[in-house]
Amino acid sequence: EDQVTQSPEALRLQEGESSSLNCSYTVSGLRGLFWYRQDPGKGPEFLFTLYSAGEEKEKERLKATLTKKESFLHITAPKPEDSATYLCAVQRPDSWGKLQFGAGTQVVVTP
Amino acid sequence: NAGVTQTPKFRILKIGQSMTLQCTQDMNHNYMYWYRQDPGMGLKLIYYSVGAGITDKGEVPNGYNVSRSTTEDFPLRLELAAPSQTSVYFCASRGDNYGYTFGSGTRLTVV
């Protein structure tokens, strides 16, 4: 059975204090690994898709990396507006786009 | 630029009542999905559709039904509501980059 585990569950950072979120997965074949950001009371917002080990993608202060067993979301010099829950999800081949989500990491960045 | 629109945003149901959660998208996406999100848990797939007239069960379909008569609309029907269906429901559609676009969610309480 596919499993997606995110750690830590919660992370409190000072503004400017860089850190990393982890997403470990077990899946029979990987078509893609996805990162989303979710603000309170809103739907998840798409950030990145990673397809193969060694791939990296960046957007502003966020950088996602992928290995064969896990993905990291690095937050560099975070600002309070980066506070959100970050969700990781995996997709298998021939799955009609269905995603298996982790429980998320709640990030709070204080000034 | 509406994207995915869900209605209602909030609803309280009594045990045994029925309701339909509405979802419509204006991006001409073929793939659409319904997820539920419970505190501390990842999003769980209820039903999905790969095009008009084609639907299939996800991970947690019991107590729900869907239909897809048009590309734009993908309503979720709850029959005989139970307290276990208290949750936040998200509809999503999938674009060419395989990233989902989510609606803003429906918060449902069954009492």
Side-chain angles (χ1 to χ4, degrees):
Chain A
E1 182 179 323
D2 300 345
Q3 288 206 1
V4 182
T5 304
Q6 292 189 245
S7 61
E9 291 183 7
L11 188 60
R12 191 173 184 90
L13 300 171
Q14 292 275 0
E15 184 171 2
E17 177 188 2
S18 301
S19 189
S20 295
L21 284 55
N22 177 265
C23 172
S24 63
Y25 62 91
T26 55
V27 63
S28 302
L30 179 72
R31 181 163 191 176
L33 185 138
F34 298 77
W35 282 99
Y36 289 85
R37 169 194 171 122
Q38 186 174 23
D39 293 305
K42 296 190 176 181
E45 177 186 348
F46 172 70
L47 292 173
F48 306 109
T49 309
L50 302 167
Y51 295 103
S52 58
E55 188 175 0
E56 299 182 350
K57 288 194 176 172
E58 289 188 67
K59 180 179 181 179
E60 296 181 355
R61 294 174 295 282
L62 301 177
K63 179 180 177 180
T65 61
L66 181 65
T67 72
K68 289 187 177 180
K69 293 185 176 181
E70 58 191 349
S71 177
F72 292 92
L73 185 67
H74 308 278
I75 309 178
T76 301
K79 298 182 178 181
E81 52 262 43
D82 295 321
S83 297
T85 296
Y86 292 87
L87 303 173
C88 167
V90 298
Q91 180 186 349
R92 287 194 291 152
D94 301 324
S95 61
W96 302 109
K98 295 179 289 184
L99 296 182
Q100 179 86 18
F101 281 86
T105 294
Q106 184 180 25
V107 175
V108 174
V109 183
T110 57
Chain B
N1 292 339
V4 177
T5 302
Q6 290 184 239
T7 57
K9 292 190 182 302
F10 304 93
R11 183 73 185 268
I12 298 174
L13 278 183
K14 294 184 178 179
I15 294 172
Q17 287 186 321
S18 299
M19 75 165 294
T20 298
L21 282 65
Q22 301 292 345
C23 175
T24 187
Q25 53 98 2
D26 62 358
M27 297 170 286
N28 202 34
H29 289 168
N30 285 321
Y31 291 69
M32 295 187 74
Y33 310 85
W34 274 105
Y35 285 85
R36 60 176 287 172
Q37 186 175 38
D38 300 303
M41 310 283 287
L43 288 102
K44 302 293 185 185
L45 182 65
I46 306 171
Y47 270 94
Y48 67 102
S49 170
V50 301
I54 307 170
T55 63
D56 204 353
K57 296 177 181 179
E59 188 180 359
V60 289
N62 291 343
Y64 307 95
N65 270 304
V66 293
S67 60
R68 184 94 181 269
S69 57
T70 67
T71 299
E72 294 78 20
D73 299 308
F74 190 39
L76 178 70
R77 178 80 177 165
L78 277 71
E79 305 282 1
L80 300 175
S84 61
Q85 293 177 305
T86 294
S87 188
V88 181
Y89 292 84
F90 288 102
C91 178
S93 70
R94 186 174 77 113
D96 292 338
N97 67 357
Y98 300 107
Y100 286 9
T101 299
F102 281 88
S104 57
T106 295
R107 184 174 296 274
L108 175 67
T109 302
V110 182
V111 297

